[in-house]
């Protein structure tokens, strides 16, 4: 059995759309109808005619697609693909923090679980965060769950008071300054491209700092031919596709998210064939989370 052909046949049979995040395995990206970051893919799901969405990513991403497309069936091919950073924020602790700072607007990174989004005022992505913050008049901000992204935003708004959640991406946190410096010494002509989920000492080493999509776009536009890429290594697949003549380096194996790599072609095949791992959400919670995502549109 040719798994790729079987998946393509099932996709047509089931009126399904396959979406894959940039951090997925190469072969998963290659079989997807669309590849992108989580929010872009959720919008694709919402606007597509297909009623069955196979979201190859981690759980919060498939949930975001379901929040925006309640009448469609959204499937997560591997139910064990979670996001440790999203799981670092819980509703009980957030409720206490809101009580402690009643004047603060609650801003959540889209990398959060649905029940947490439901307690927030607005969501942001790493690419939209600065623009959205410009349109927020509140002087006090609770930002969660990623402390590093929160610090990056706070640096641009010194007149606002930020209360930052102590969460982080386990993949972006792994990279160390000495490792990056050693790679820079080896590749002195390479530009350093950094995601804001990295620690401040890594962000300070960046020639370019931006979201996954922005990093990819920058590598295409840049006149340079070599890049040290400090985000999840799956992004290299798309970068090589767009700039086959350029060279991309990551610091060893440290920038690999084990959760993003859990989804396999076999998982996609089984999900399509048996219609397993459908995402279901409580409607009241979904509606509250939808408001936070809707406010992201309005404020951006």
């Amino acid at each position: 059995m040719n798994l790729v052909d079987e998946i393509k046949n099932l996709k047509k049979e089931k009126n399904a759309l396959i979406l894959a995040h940039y951090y997925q395995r190469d072969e998963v990206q290659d079989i997807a109808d669309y590849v992108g970051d989580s929010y872009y893919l959720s919008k694709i799901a919402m606007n597509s005619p297909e009623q069955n969405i196979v979201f190859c990513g981690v759980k919060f991403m498939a949930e975001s697609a379901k929040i925006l497309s309640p009448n469609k069936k959204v499937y997560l091919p591997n139910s064990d693909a979670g996001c440790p950073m999203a799981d670092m924020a819980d509703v009980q602790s957030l409720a206490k923090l809101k009580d402690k700072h009643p004047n603060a607007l609650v801003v959540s990174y889209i990398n959060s679980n649905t029940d947490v989004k439901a307690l927030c005022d607005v969501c942001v992505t790493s690419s939209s965060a600065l623009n959205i913050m410009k349109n927020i008049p509140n002087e006090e901000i609770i930002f969660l769950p990623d402390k590093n992204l929160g610090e990056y935003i706070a640096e641009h708004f010194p007149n606002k008071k930020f209360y930052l959640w102590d969460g982080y991406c386990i993949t972006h946190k792994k990279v160390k300054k000495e490792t990056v410096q050693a790679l820079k010494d080896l590749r002195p002509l390479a530009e350093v491209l950094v995601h804001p989920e990295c620690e401040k000492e890594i962000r300070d080493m960046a020639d370019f700092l931006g979201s996954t999509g922005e990093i990819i776009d920058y590598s295409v536009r840049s006149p340079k031919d070599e890049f040290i890429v400090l985000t999840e290594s799956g992004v290299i697949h798309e970068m090589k596709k767009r700039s086959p003549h350029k060279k991309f380096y990551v610091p060893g194996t440290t920038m690999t998210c084990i959760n993003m790599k859990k989804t396999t072609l076999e998982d996609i095949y089984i999900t399509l064939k048996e219609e397993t791992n459908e995402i279901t959400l409580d409607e009241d919670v979904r509606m509250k989370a939808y408001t936070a995502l809707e406010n992201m549109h309005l404020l951006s």
Side-chain angles (χ1 to χ4, degrees):
M1 177 179 75
N2 184 312
L3 209 50
V4 170
D5 290 341
E6 289 291 328
I7 289 170
K8 287 178 179 177
N9 291 335
L10 280 168
K11 186 179 69 170
K12 288 179 186 173
E13 181 187 320
K14 303 282 177 125
N15 183 33
L17 186 73
I18 300 176
L19 306 176
H21 192 273
Y22 286 128
Y23 297 165
Q24 291 287 296
R25 295 166 182 253
D26 294 358
E27 63 271 21
V28 170
Q29 292 187 49
D30 287 341
I31 204 168
D33 297 295
Y34 293 92
V35 180
D37 60 25
S38 61
Y39 188 62
Y40 164 78
L41 294 175
S42 292
K43 287 193 294 183
I44 291 290
M46 181 173 63
N47 296 322
S48 71
E50 290 85 359
Q51 291 301 302
N52 295 302
I53 310 297
V54 179
F55 204 121
C56 304
V58 293
K59 190 179 180 186
F60 81 79
M61 297 178 180
E63 287 183 353
S64 294
K66 183 66 177 179
I67 291 167
L68 294 173
S69 305
N71 298 322
K72 295 185 178 184
K73 291 188 173 182
V74 179
Y75 301 92
L76 181 68
N78 189 310
S79 59
D80 290 332
C83 173
M85 177 172 68
D87 293 340
M88 288 175 193
D90 65 281
V91 292
Q92 292 84 5
S93 301
L94 179 54
K96 288 178 184 175
L97 192 59
K98 287 178 70 172
D99 288 342
K100 190 175 176 183
H101 304 288
N103 296 322
L105 192 82
V106 184
V107 180
S108 174
Y109 193 14
I110 198 168
N111 300 32
S112 54
N113 295 323
T114 302
D115 56 351
V116 169
K117 283 185 176 78
L119 283 183
C120 297
D121 297 301
V122 59
C123 287
V124 299
T125 64
S126 51
S127 59
S128 69
L130 297 182
N131 269 341
I132 288 173
M133 201 60 63
K134 286 176 189 172
N135 297 320
I136 290 174
N138 304 61
E139 293 179 0
E140 293 182 68
I141 305 291
I142 292 171
F143 186 86
L144 72 155
D146 184 28
K147 188 177 182 180
N148 288 322
L149 179 60
E151 283 178 351
Y152 166 70
I153 297 167
E155 287 165 4
H156 289 78
F157 297 92
N159 296 327
K160 293 184 187 289
K161 174 68 176 174
F162 283 81
Y163 308 105
L164 302 179
W165 201 269
D166 196 21
Y168 55 88
C169 168
I170 60 173
T171 302
H172 287 93
K173 191 178 177 68
K174 280 179 193 171
V175 64
K176 301 300 178 192
K177 184 177 180 179
E178 314 82 70
T179 312
V180 179
Q181 188 57 56
L183 197 46
K184 282 184 69 170
D185 292 343
L186 278 173
R187 309 290 179 185
L189 299 178
E191 285 188 299
V192 180
L193 313 183
V194 179
H195 195 285
E197 286 179 29
C198 290
E199 301 275 307
K200 178 168 173 52
E201 65 173 18
I202 304 300
R203 298 198 304 271
D204 287 345
M205 301 177 80
D207 293 304
F208 178 80
L209 188 63
S211 68
T212 310
E214 288 169 339
I215 285 173
I216 294 169
D217 291 342
Y218 180 85
S219 72
V220 175
R221 295 193 314 268
S222 172
K224 291 291 182 75
D225 291 327
E226 292 184 286
F227 303 91
I228 295 167
V229 183
L230 302 180
T231 189
E232 210 280 341
S233 58
V235 75
I236 300 295
H237 188 57
E238 181 69 18
M239 296 173 98
K240 284 180 176 176
K241 275 186 175 180
R242 296 201 197 177
S243 303
H245 60 289
K246 296 187 179 184
K247 290 184 167 57
F248 304 95
Y249 310 103
V250 290
T253 57
T254 56
M255 300 301 286
T256 301
C257 173
I258 57 170
N259 284 284
M260 279 290 191
K261 298 299 188 273
K262 283 181 178 177
T263 302
T264 64
L265 291 180
E266 287 80 4
D267 292 332
I268 298 168
Y269 171 75
I270 292 167
T271 293
L272 282 167
K273 187 174 175 61
E274 301 178 5
E275 299 180 22
T276 53
N277 301 327
E278 184 182 352
I279 297 291
T280 57
L281 300 174
D282 176 88
E283 181 58 15
D284 183 52
V285 175
R286 186 197 72 81
M287 281 303 299
K288 290 175 181 173
Y290 178 83
T291 300
L293 288 174
E294 188 177 39
N295 286 338
M296 178 167 70
H297 272 304
L298 297 172
L299 289 166
S300 62

